[in-house]
Amino acid sequence: QVQFVESGGGSVQPGGSLRLSCAAAGVTLDDYAIGWFRQAPGKEREGVSCFSASDGSTNYGDSVKGRFTISRDKAKTTMYLQMNSLKPEDTAVYYCAANLMRRRCAGYILHEYSYWGQGTQVTVSS
């Protein structure tokens, strides 16, 4: 059974940092592009970052470029999202998911992603 479990969320002040984790069970992270997404109350789920299994390349949404870093552990069982210089507009539930159609990131088309976890809440507030 495939399962993704996100953790590491919490409440921080603006300018603070958090490191999110996405632990995968029942699947090898090297088989798929892995994306981080977020959803704020009343808003659509949006892509934040993606890691290509094909070559290890990464990409980021415009709103997080230069502040967030996606990575994968050497065992290829856990993805991370290092979030620095957090802003109130980063407040959302963060999810990870696997793109079953691609090993290389190509946008954030939601229906291409599966194995969504339960999410982890990130709140940025003073």
Side-chain angles (χ1 to χ4, degrees):
Q1 181 179 357
V2 177
Q3 187 175 17
F4 282 14
V5 178
E6 302 93 341
S7 63
S11 296
V12 296
Q13 293 186 340
S17 298
L18 285 172
R19 188 193 195 200
L20 304 184
S21 298
C22 171
V27 65
T28 300
L29 293 181
D30 200 37
D31 290 340
Y32 310 109
I34 302 297
W36 279 99
F37 296 79
R38 66 186 182 187
Q39 188 165 19
K43 294 188 177 181
E44 295 184 353
R45 191 167 297 189
E46 65 169 343
V48 173
S49 182
C50 185
F51 185 100
S52 293
S54 57
D55 60 4
S57 61
T58 59
N59 59 41
Y60 301 89
D62 289 341
S63 62
V64 306
K65 280 181 182 176
R67 301 188 296 123
F68 290 11
T69 303
I70 190 171
S71 62
R72 185 180 68 188
D73 71 338
K74 291 184 178 180
K76 300 178 182 178
T77 60
T78 305
M79 298 297 302
Y80 301 100
L81 186 68
Q82 178 67 43
M83 306 187 298
N84 298 328
S85 302
L86 283 163
K87 304 176 180 180
E89 51 264 43
D90 294 318
T91 295
V93 178
Y94 284 71
Y95 303 88
C96 59
N99 188 323
L100 301 189
M101 299 179 64
R102 307 174 192 275
R103 294 187 72 234
R104 183 174 180 83
C105 298
Y108 301 96
I109 303 172
L110 293 181
H111 71 254
E112 293 187 350
Y113 287 84
S114 295
Y115 306 144
W116 296 91
Q118 83 290 347
T120 185
Q121 176 71 48
V122 172
T123 302
V124 185
S125 173
S126 56

